[in-house]
Amino acid sequence: MIPIQDFLHRVRWDPEFGRGHLEIAYLDKVAGELVRVPFTEVRFVPGERFGFEIVGLHGESVIIPYHRVREVYRDAQLVWKRPEA
């Protein structure tokens, strides 16, 4: 399995690989559950090497560390999953 950073960069820069409706599922530590966000809501901040940005429930910017990403879905099918430790 490729690292999540490499997977997301390929989605971002390879139009064929990035086709379809993509969702990223990350572990929300407060809720204690996986939260799925559409890839279209993910922003890559220049210089940020450890995560990506999303807009939170109250309109605030939130950085999600790559290590909290657990799954990626394409058209509702699981295409990437973090190996269990």
Side-chain angles (χ1 to χ4, degrees), residues 1 4 7-8 22-27 34-37 52 66-74 77-84:
M1 183 67 55
I4 189 60
F7 185 91
L8 295 179
L22 288 151
E23 291 182 308
I24 297 173
Y26 69 91
L27 178 62
L34 292 181
V35 175
R36 287 167 66 163
V37 294
F52 54 86
Y66 288 123
H67 71 266
R68 288 191 15 220
V69 176
R70 297 296 187 256
E71 300 169 340
V72 178
Y73 294 85
R74 177 183 286 121
Q77 292 194 348
L78 184 66
V79 294
W80 186 92
K81 182 175 172 95
R82 182 171 299 282
E84 299 294 325

Side-chain angles (χ1 to χ4, degrees), residues 19-60:
R19 280 201 170 151
H21 176 72
L22 288 151
E23 291 182 308
I24 297 173
Y26 69 91
L27 178 62
D28 183 316
K29 295 189 124 198
V30 175
E33 60 186 26
L34 292 181
V35 175
R36 287 167 66 163
V37 294
F39 188 75
T40 55
E41 293 182 18
V42 170
R43 301 286 175 256
F44 294 94
V45 179
E48 175 58 61
R49 299 180 319 143
F50 301 105
F52 54 86
E53 180 181 78
I54 62 169
V55 176
L57 295 174
H58 306 289
E60 75 282 12

